[in-house]
Amino acid sequence: MTQYQQAQQGCITPAMRAAAQSEGVDPQNIVTEIAAGRAVIPCNPAHTALKPYVVGRAFRTKVNANIGRSPERSDDGSEVRKMQIALNAGADCLMDLSVGNDLSSIRQTLLAACPVPFGTVPVYEAVSRLNGESLKLTPELLLDVIKTQAEEGVDFMTLHAGLLRSHVDLAAKRLLGIVSRGGALLANWMVTHQRENPFYEVWDEIMDICRQHDVTVSLGDGLRPGCIDDASDAAQFAELDVLGELVQSCRNAGVQVMVEGPGHVPFNEIQMNMERQQQVCDGAAFYVLGPVVTDIAPGYDHITSAIGATAAAFHGASLLCYVTPAEHLALPCDEDVHAGVIAYRIAAHAADVARNLPGARERDRAISQARAQFDWNRQFELALDPDTARHRYQSARKHDAGDDYCTMCGKDFCAIRNSREAVGR
Amino acid sequence: MTQYQQAQQGCITPAMRAAAQSEGVDPQNIVTEIAAGRAVIPCNPAHTALKPYVVGRAFRTKVNANIGRSPERSDDGSEVRKMQIALNAGADCLMDLSVGNDLSSIRQTLLAACPVPFGTVPVYEAVSRLNGESLKLTPELLLDVIKTQAEEGVDFMTLHAGLLRSHVDLAAKRLLGIVSRGGALLANWMVTHQRENPFYEVWDEIMDICRQHDVTVSLGDGLRPGCIDDASDAAQFAELDVLGELVQSCRNAGVQVMVEGPGHVPFNEIQMNMERQQQVCDGAAFYVLGPVVTDIAPGYDHITSAIGATAAAFHGASLLCYVTPAEHLALPCDEDVHAGVIAYRIAAHAADVARNLPGARERDRAISQARAQFDWNRQFELALDPDTARHRYQSARKHDAGDDYCTMCGKDFCAIRNSREAVGR
């Protein structure tokens, strides 16, 4: 039985207990949220290295890091290294987006060492098995890939099942068309073969596999807007309506489900997007990519999107998929993975602070106390990225400098020193 | 006569014409906004290198970069270099926050080469002249510094005149007390000498100097919160009320005025802060520092604060003072200045896109068109930081790769390629 099915029967599973402990909440909260379909615990029993987490609006906002090689960039070991970098930086879950050869071997290596929920996009492996010839895709191949991955222990899978053939015409009106890798492949397949989305033909079988292995379905948004101009358009919302139906379909099948979201969205439309998704998808956990709030900053899209992600998490998202500085330009390198995770932990935490999630502000209070006391070590320990903070402080500091100021203002002009004098501390 | 006085008489000055041209608006808009006190053109006639800009809610959101040496870090030439880096990255105005010796010489060198509005914090020079012995400060010394700087051509000056002696007790209740350099110095002075804020004793003379040289007063927020815990507290809003009175005092004296704001503010309180300032200060242009939306990311405060700055600019701010990755740790280095300006141009532009400022979305549209057409050169030209974007793309790309994909997805999986096939472009 899936976590969803057990929650509906009121059972508290070991995974729910573990998630409750890591969250610092009563296990009953977890049961309630999962039973209502507002939270998921992606935890395939075959993923033995997993320490389960809960993803949902009632809990700490989580961060996903995408890793995975592209055909242009692949060397053995690099994705394992990136996984470790993402985990060290604090990623709550990981997706392996590898395409190309030998995907099963990479995935098994990663899964064996991965303590967090692990996700994939099965259509990537399906098309990779066809050496990139995506038009040869069949529903049966998709099903076979999903089955293989489920048996290997994948915890959640992006399925682009909401993108219908009729939506492609709507996307044709866009400036940037379809920017989801999976969405574009499927759209091309549907248009060429004049067939409906291939997930439909085998949907019941997919549900059986996901229920059997408790794979959480992450409903992909193949029509997420790829630029500000395309945001919140008819194509996006037509697909969203189908995603809302698919949420019910998953729930009816006893399968855990979350929903993916945009993309590129101007800052003023983020709240509306979050509220509309929550309404259309009946409160299912929302897993957003960014959103990027302006198109003009390639090289800095970890920042453009951390801005959007903070607003998204404040207004309704539960899981934030990072965007790295390499977005729109290249496959992320090690430094990009680190920069992306840190930017997103900032966004996630800033949103949790803003929605006054119990306990969220304690770390801010503690680091600020350390700041007031010039306790630099404590400040670094509490920092999101201790090494970077420590290095910046120490490398700028003169050898004989005191601990009660920094090079920003110097001793006489240090506001905290002068403030202490003024307020008598 | 100041720009404010001339606007009130309905005159369109050369500075207003220049600002209108750079903004792409009718000069009459500029006159109206300045006459109403909702916009300023910081333009001291003695600053001959200046190309005037307008700062106000009706116009493009502007970005300020702070440069200036600290006693711990000073070598000749480095601040000139930082100024150039900030200008190249697109800073709209600059503040020289130097403390230590020989400030006039640094300032004159910078001013002679600075084409954007140039600001200072006179209390820094006053205390520097006293070799850091801030308790020896006198109102007369402050006045002398303001006069000297006005004669040299400084366009705007931060005056921490809203911080009253009675506010210090409110700040004593805080976790982090007073984190404004100028505010902490003045608070310590007021408490030690049991005197009121020294700006008051010479306020009329200050107004005379600012009117004579058309120096724009930037009312400093000495009590800006320095951590999430201190945000939106009694100390902050007590000072804000005084700032509101000082806005009227400046206007009555015919002096241009804007108002500085926080600081550290949780994301959910930014809108309220912006609206309250606009109300209390009768629509005077709001010049905000960040705000930083969480305290836990030293080393990344350009990001924590760009998140806050976007929300601030969306909800009411006109000018954003950058925060660099060095904040809370060290004096910014060259790379920090660049990173800070870029992060803030992202925030400013994202806000302008969000508030649908005429013309703001055109650049997003153009770069996205270039993206759709695989016109990489055009994409880099339109990028906020062309060099970084170009370098990231080119260094990842294989020698023999085509132009119609990047290393992120590779050729077969490129969404834009597949989308073109699907939608027939």
Side-chain angles (χ1 to χ4, degrees):
Chain A
M1 288 213 296
T2 65
Q3 298 294 324
Y4 177 60
Q5 291 173 312
Q6 294 184 78
Q8 289 203 305
Q9 298 187 2
C11 295
I12 298 178
T13 65
M16 293 177 203
R17 270 188 214 290
Q21 194 170 14
S22 107
E23 208 71 31
V25 301
D26 191 293
Q28 192 54 51
N29 290 3
I30 309 263
V31 179
T32 304
E33 292 300 305
I34 293 180
R38 290 190 298 264
V40 292
I41 299 184
C43 59
N44 184 329
H47 181 192
T48 51
L50 178 69
K51 293 175 186 163
Y53 270 114
V54 63
V55 172
R57 194 66 191 142
F59 311 107
R60 187 171 60 77
T61 303
K62 305 299 189 297
V63 170
N64 177 74
N66 290 337
I67 56 171
R69 65 186 193 187
S70 82
E72 303 295 311
R73 291 253 142 190
S74 45
D75 61 273
D76 282 353
S78 67
E79 299 315 315
V80 174
R81 200 176 58 238
K82 285 183 193 169
M83 175 173 80
Q84 219 51 62
I85 290 169
L87 292 172
N88 289 345
D92 297 299
C93 53
L94 282 173
M95 290 191 81
D96 173 20
L97 304 189
S98 292
V99 292
N101 297 323
D102 210 17
L103 296 186
S104 189
S105 150
I106 296 177
R107 191 166 52 237
Q108 290 182 43
T109 306
L110 292 170
L111 263 169
C114 183
V116 299
F118 187 94
T120 59
V121 185
V123 73
Y124 294 175
E125 179 172 351
V127 174
S128 294
R129 287 194 198 174
L130 299 166
N131 295 314
E133 295 189 57
S134 57
L135 295 177
K136 293 187 179 169
L137 190 73
T138 63
E140 293 69 31
L141 176 57
L142 273 176
L143 195 62
D144 187 61
V145 169
I146 290 169
K147 185 161 181 289
T148 305
Q149 295 192 353
E151 288 168 353
E152 285 174 4
V154 170
D155 301 296
F156 63 104
M157 296 183 195
T158 295
L159 306 181
H160 295 97
L163 168 55
L164 303 186
R165 190 176 149 198
S166 61
H167 297 162
V168 179
D169 284 344
L170 298 173
K173 295 174 185 162
R174 289 177 158 181
L175 183 57
L176 251 172
I178 303 173
V179 299
S180 148
R181 272 204 282 194
L185 289 168
L186 291 168
N188 197 20
W189 186 92
M190 290 190 281
V191 168
T192 303
H193 298 305
Q194 303 201 20
R195 287 171 71 175
E196 194 43 276
N197 187 308
F199 283 102
Y200 280 105
E201 297 183 26
V202 288
W203 189 249
D204 290 343
E205 291 88 336
I206 291 173
M207 289 293 102
D208 289 342
I209 295 169
C210 291
R211 186 174 52 247
Q212 192 184 339
H213 297 276
D214 201 357
V215 171
T216 299
V217 170
S218 185
L219 291 168
D221 60 329
L223 292 176
R224 65 169 180 265
C227 62
I228 293 296
D229 215 51
D230 293 342
S232 312
D233 73 344
Q236 182 192 329
F237 289 134
E239 183 185 40
L240 179 62
D241 288 341
V242 181
L243 297 180
E245 294 165 16
L246 290 170
V247 165
Q248 298 305 335
S249 167
C250 289
R251 288 180 184 169
N252 292 341
V255 169
Q256 299 195 88
V257 62
M258 56 186 177
V259 180
E260 298 183 15
H264 289 236
V265 181
F267 188 75
N268 61 312
E269 293 176 13
I270 293 174
Q271 179 172 359
M272 175 274 286
N273 268 272
M274 298 302 120
E275 289 170 355
R276 183 157 175 167
Q277 185 276 350
Q278 292 286 282
Q279 190 187 0
V280 172
C281 296
D282 193 26
F286 202 12
Y287 171 24
V288 299
L289 177 67
V292 165
V293 293
T294 172
D295 307 335
I296 70 166
Y300 298 87
D301 280 324
H302 60 312
I303 300 179
T304 64
S305 67
I307 294 167
T310 305
F314 180 61
H315 290 297
S318 299
L319 173 57
L320 306 175
C321 184
Y322 84 173
V323 174
T324 80
E327 187 75 17
H328 302 109
L329 298 169
L331 191 74
C333 64
D334 292 359
E335 292 71 27
D336 294 324
V337 170
H338 181 263
V341 173
I342 296 291
Y344 272 69
R345 290 196 64 203
I346 290 171
H349 182 73
D352 289 346
V353 163
R355 57 201 189 99
N356 255 313
L357 201 75
R361 293 187 182 203
E362 280 169 24
R363 187 165 168 181
D364 294 73
R365 203 168 289 128
I367 201 171
S368 296
Q369 267 161 350
R371 207 164 261 160
Q373 292 158 359
F374 294 109
D375 186 344
W376 294 96
N377 282 328
R378 181 84 181 124
Q379 195 183 144
F380 302 144
E381 282 167 17
L382 288 161
L384 265 189
D385 182 354
D387 292 344
T388 295
R390 188 185 304 272
H391 175 75
R392 285 308 309 265
Y393 170 69
Q394 287 182 341
S395 64
R397 191 164 162 263
K398 284 185 183 167
H399 179 66
D400 59 350
D403 277 341
D404 53 351
Y405 59 93
C406 79
T407 56
M408 180 138 187
C409 304
K411 190 168 181 175
D412 290 334
F413 285 85
C414 172
I416 295 178
R417 280 175 57 89
N418 285 312
S419 173
R420 277 186 172 191
E421 297 284 327
V423 304
R425 276 189 282 193
Chain B
M1 287 214 297
T2 65
Q3 298 294 324
Y4 177 59
Q5 291 173 313
Q6 294 184 80
Q8 290 204 305
Q9 298 188 1
C11 296
I12 298 177
T13 66
M16 293 177 203
R17 271 189 213 290
Q21 193 171 15
S22 106
E23 209 70 31
V25 300
D26 191 295
Q28 192 54 52
N29 289 3
I30 309 263
V31 178
T32 304
E33 292 299 305
I34 293 180
R38 290 190 298 264
V40 292
I41 299 184
C43 59
N44 184 329
H47 182 192
T48 50
L50 178 70
K51 293 176 187 163
Y53 270 115
V54 63
V55 172
R57 195 66 190 143
F59 311 107
R60 188 171 60 78
T61 304
K62 305 300 189 297
V63 171
N64 175 74
N66 290 337
I67 56 171
R69 66 187 191 184
S70 82
E72 303 295 310
R73 291 255 141 189
S74 45
D75 61 272
D76 283 353
S78 66
E79 298 314 316
V80 174
R81 201 177 58 238
K82 285 184 193 169
M83 175 173 80
Q84 220 50 62
I85 290 169
L87 292 172
N88 289 345
D92 297 298
C93 52
L94 282 174
M95 290 191 80
D96 173 21
L97 304 188
S98 292
V99 292
N101 298 323
D102 211 17
L103 296 185
S104 188
S105 149
I106 296 177
R107 192 167 51 238
Q108 290 182 43
T109 306
L110 293 170
L111 263 168
C114 183
V116 300
F118 187 94
T120 58
V121 185
V123 74
Y124 294 174
E125 179 172 351
V127 173
S128 294
R129 287 195 197 172
L130 299 166
N131 294 314
E133 294 189 56
S134 58
L135 294 177
K136 293 187 179 169
L137 190 72
T138 63
E140 293 70 30
L141 177 57
L142 274 175
L143 195 63
D144 188 62
V145 169
I146 290 169
K147 185 161 182 287
T148 305
Q149 295 191 353
E151 287 168 354
E152 285 174 5
V154 169
D155 301 297
F156 63 105
M157 295 183 195
T158 295
L159 305 182
H160 296 97
L163 168 54
L164 303 185
R165 191 175 147 199
S166 61
H167 297 161
V168 180
D169 284 344
L170 298 173
K173 295 173 184 160
R174 288 176 158 183
L175 184 57
L176 252 173
I178 303 173
V179 299
S180 147
R181 272 205 283 194
L185 289 169
L186 291 168
N188 197 20
W189 186 91
M190 289 188 280
V191 168
T192 303
H193 297 306
Q194 305 201 17
R195 287 171 72 175
E196 193 44 276
N197 188 308
F199 283 103
Y200 280 105
E201 297 183 25
V202 288
W203 189 250
D204 290 343
E205 290 90 334
I206 292 172
M207 289 294 101
D208 290 341
I209 295 168
C210 291
R211 186 174 52 246
Q212 191 184 340
H213 297 276
D214 201 358
V215 171
T216 298
V217 170
S218 185
L219 291 169
D221 59 330
L223 293 176
R224 67 170 179 263
C227 63
I228 294 295
D229 215 52
D230 293 341
S232 313
D233 73 344
Q236 182 192 329
F237 289 134
E239 183 186 40
L240 179 61
D241 287 340
V242 180
L243 297 180
E245 294 165 17
L246 290 169
V247 165
Q248 298 305 335
S249 166
C250 289
R251 288 180 183 167
N252 292 340
V255 169
Q256 298 194 88
V257 60
M258 56 186 177
V259 180
E260 299 183 14
H264 289 235
V265 180
F267 189 75
N268 60 311
E269 293 177 12
I270 294 174
Q271 180 172 359
M272 176 273 286
N273 268 272
M274 299 302 121
E275 289 170 355
R276 184 157 174 168
Q277 185 275 351
Q278 293 285 281
Q279 190 186 0
V280 172
C281 296
D282 192 26
F286 202 11
Y287 172 25
V288 299
L289 176 67
V292 165
V293 292
T294 171
D295 307 335
I296 70 167
Y300 298 87
D301 280 324
H302 60 313
I303 300 179
T304 64
S305 66
I307 293 167
T310 305
F314 180 61
H315 290 297
S318 299
L319 173 58
L320 306 175
C321 184
Y322 84 174
V323 174
T324 80
E327 187 75 16
H328 301 110
L329 298 169
L331 191 74
C333 64
D334 292 359
E335 292 72 26
D336 294 324
V337 169
H338 181 262
V341 173
I342 296 291
Y344 272 69
R345 290 195 65 203
I346 289 170
H349 182 73
D352 289 347
V353 163
R355 57 201 189 101
N356 256 312
L357 201 74
R361 293 187 183 202
E362 280 168 25
R363 188 164 169 182
D364 293 74
R365 203 168 289 127
I367 201 171
S368 296
Q369 266 160 351
R371 207 164 262 159
Q373 291 158 0
F374 294 108
D375 185 343
W376 294 96
N377 282 328
R378 180 85 183 123
Q379 195 182 145
F380 302 144
E381 282 166 16
L382 288 162
L384 265 189
D385 182 354
D387 292 345
T388 295
R390 188 185 304 270
H391 174 76
R392 285 308 307 267
Y393 170 69
Q394 288 182 340
S395 64
R397 190 163 163 263
K398 283 184 183 168
H399 178 66
D400 58 350
D403 276 341
D404 55 350
Y405 59 93
C406 79
T407 56
M408 180 138 187
C409 305
K411 190 168 182 174
D412 289 334
F413 285 86
C414 173
I416 295 179
R417 281 175 56 90
N418 284 312
S419 174
R420 279 185 171 192
E421 296 283 327
V423 303
R425 278 189 281 195

